[in-house]
């Protein structure tokens, strides 16, 4: 196994639970806002009382936390991810009430704040899982959890095989005895083929593989490349217009300024990436294009959501597709480079 491949190893079950949490939270925000708009924002309670849905969110998050503290098996973690995600969605949906003096649910930047929170959660969680990786002691811990599930009757054959595969990577001489004992414990009687946790992990992996297949297709990559070209051209045009003083309109506020500057930075990075696509090296070009989209997602989109709220959703979806397409291309190039080094004996 090459070093590059080893770094990429991570706890796929943990990643699936994080994704499940965020999907449940985002879906809850969308469903809640759609329901309230369709029903005329009803009040739950009578007279001066109003039971805000943030309270139900706190109850669900507390229930998820207590469930994880009490339970010993991993199946509860999946249920806690769903319950906690729904609770967090109900909580963060009312963020406008807690950052305004007049308790304004319709505070315009609320959607931008919700978007920022979700993006930070996603990036931090994925980075934490990637950095932890799968050192030997973590492999032992994952297998031990599988043995616990086996004792409780909650382990299926798919997760058992996954745990045995994780144990196969243990190299520390001080842990080989423990790994052998766990392997023996997992080699028990026949188990059910597929449980709830494995279904979720398998579904996530299937969706990821299919999405990467589509995003790695030549036609899709050319479309994304064309979008980068358009972005670079628009940036050049906007700079020329600004320098010539054709546009005499003033920037209304700091939000407009940030959107303008971040768009120019993103466009400049895209232009540099397109330049290296022609001149090489190819991997540097892809990384510059990725940096361009990262600026868009982490800066430009935040302020666009603050200005346009749901109107910025289309641009967000396009940026995500562009980012994922470039990410897949980078992974393919890094894997190819790693294989070349391995064949050369480096």
């Amino acid at each position: 196994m090459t070093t590059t491949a080893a770094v990429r190893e991570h706890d796929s079950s943990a990643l699936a639970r994080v994704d499940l949490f965020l999907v449940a939270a985002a879906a809850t925000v969308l469903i809640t806002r759609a329901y309230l708009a369709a029903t005329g924002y009803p009040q739950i309670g009578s007279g001066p009382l109003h039971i805000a849905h943030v309270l139900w969110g706190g109850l669900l998050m507390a229930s998820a936390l207590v469930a994880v503290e009490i339970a010993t098996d991993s199946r509860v973690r999946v249920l806690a991810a769903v319950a906690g995600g729904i609770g967090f969605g109900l909580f963060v949906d009312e963020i406008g009430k807690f950052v305004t003096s007049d308790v304004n649910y319709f505070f315009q930047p609320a959607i931008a704040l919700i978007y920022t929170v979700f993006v930070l959660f996603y990036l931090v969680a994925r980075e934490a899982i990637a950095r932890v990786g799968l050192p030997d002691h973590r492999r032992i811990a994952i297998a031990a959890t599988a043995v616990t599930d086996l004792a409780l009757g909650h382990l299926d054959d798919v997760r058992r095989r996954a745990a045995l595969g994780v144990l196969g990577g243990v190299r520390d001489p001080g842990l080989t005895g423990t790994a052998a004992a766990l392997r023996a414990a997992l080699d028990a009687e026949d188990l059910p083929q597929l449980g709830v946790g494995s279904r979720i992990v398998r579904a996530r992996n299937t969706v990821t593989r299919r999405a990467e297949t589509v995003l790695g297709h030549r036609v899709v990559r050319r479309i994304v490349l064309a979008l980068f070209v358009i972005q670079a051209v628009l940036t050049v045009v906007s700079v020329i217009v600004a320098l010539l003083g054709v546009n005499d309109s003033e920037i209304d506020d700091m939000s407009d300024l940030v959107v303008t500057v971040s768009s120019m930075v993103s466009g400049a990075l895209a232009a540099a990436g397109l330049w290296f696509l022609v001149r090489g090296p190819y991997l540097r070009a892809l990384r510059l294009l990725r940096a361009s989209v990262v600026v868009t997602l982490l800066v430009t989109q935040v302020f666009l959501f603050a200005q346009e709220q749901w109107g910025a959703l289309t641009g967000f979806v396009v940026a995500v597709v562009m980012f994922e397409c470039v990410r897949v291309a980078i992974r393919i190039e890094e894997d190819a480079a790693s294989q070349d080094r391995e064949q050369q004996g480096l």
Side-chain angles (χ1 to χ4, degrees):
M1 179 179 296
T2 65
T3 303
T4 304
V7 170
R8 285 209 184 91
E9 283 193 295
H10 56 261
D11 187 348
S12 59
S13 295
L15 196 58
R17 289 192 297 270
V18 170
D19 289 347
L20 187 61
F21 171 87
L22 291 174
V23 168
T28 300
V29 171
L30 295 174
I31 292 172
T32 300
R33 296 232 164 193
Y35 168 77
L36 292 177
T39 56
Y41 299 93
Q43 177 175 319
I44 302 177
S46 60
L49 296 178
H50 170 57
I51 304 176
H53 53 268
V54 67
L55 298 177
W56 301 109
L59 180 61
L60 282 170
M61 286 190 288
S63 299
L65 179 61
V66 172
V68 171
E69 292 293 333
I70 294 175
T72 56
D73 62 309
S74 58
R75 185 173 64 175
V76 175
R77 294 184 183 180
V78 175
L79 299 176
V82 176
I86 295 173
F88 185 70
L90 292 173
F91 162 75
V92 78
D93 180 61
E94 299 214 71
I95 193 170
K97 291 184 177 181
F98 304 111
V99 297
T100 55
S101 59
D102 57 348
V103 195
N104 184 12
Y105 177 76
F106 302 101
F107 180 54
Q108 184 171 346
I111 302 301
L113 294 174
I114 294 172
Y115 167 77
T116 303
V117 169
F118 282 160
V119 169
L120 290 177
F121 258 89
Y122 178 77
L123 293 178
V124 172
R126 289 185 69 93
E127 182 66 18
I129 293 173
R131 284 187 178 276
V132 170
L134 282 180
D136 286 351
H137 65 271
R138 187 165 179 81
R139 294 176 184 272
I140 294 294
I142 292 173
T145 301
V147 172
T148 300
D149 292 343
L150 175 64
L152 295 172
H154 297 162
L155 186 70
D156 58 62
D157 187 58
V158 173
R159 287 190 53 241
R160 175 173 64 179
R161 284 188 277 109
L164 290 172
V166 168
L167 282 175
V170 175
R171 296 291 181 265
D172 187 344
L175 295 175
T176 52
T178 304
L182 291 172
R183 190 176 294 108
L186 290 171
D187 287 331
E189 67 279 357
D190 292 337
L191 298 176
Q193 290 296 311
L194 205 62
V196 175
S198 292
R199 289 181 188 276
I200 292 174
V201 174
R202 176 170 289 187
R204 178 197 174 278
N205 293 341
T206 300
V207 170
T208 300
R209 284 195 302 270
R210 290 180 179 176
E212 290 184 349
T213 300
V214 172
L215 293 173
H217 194 276
R218 182 183 304 173
V219 174
V220 177
R221 293 177 68 171
R222 287 180 177 177
I223 293 174
V224 170
L225 183 60
L227 292 174
F228 277 114
V229 172
I230 293 172
Q231 179 185 4
V233 171
L234 289 177
T235 300
V236 173
V237 171
S238 64
V239 171
I240 293 175
V241 169
L243 291 176
L244 294 178
V246 174
N247 185 2
D248 295 327
S249 61
E250 297 181 355
I251 295 177
D252 295 331
D253 53 27
M254 183 60 68
S255 179
D256 290 333
L257 177 61
V258 172
V259 169
T260 301
V261 173
S262 63
S263 297
M264 292 176 62
V265 171
S266 179
L269 289 170
L274 293 172
W275 169 263
F276 281 109
L277 278 179
V278 177
R279 301 295 298 270
Y282 186 59
L283 193 55
R284 179 185 296 177
L286 292 175
R287 287 170 176 164
L288 284 168
L289 294 177
R290 180 179 60 184
S292 170
V293 187
V294 168
V295 171
T296 299
L297 288 172
L298 296 186
V299 182
T300 310
Q301 282 298 138
V302 173
F303 288 89
L304 286 178
F305 271 112
Q307 293 176 343
E308 305 174 18
Q309 296 211 33
W310 299 114
L313 194 58
T314 301
F316 164 73
V317 173
V318 172
V320 168
V321 172
M322 293 171 69
F323 176 79
E324 287 298 316
C325 185
V326 174
R327 184 187 65 81
V328 171
I330 290 175
R331 196 203 65 192
I332 293 173
E333 290 300 316
E334 288 178 343
D335 287 343
S338 176
Q339 291 176 3
D340 289 342
R341 288 194 299 269
E342 186 178 3
Q343 291 174 357
Q344 296 171 5
L346 298 179

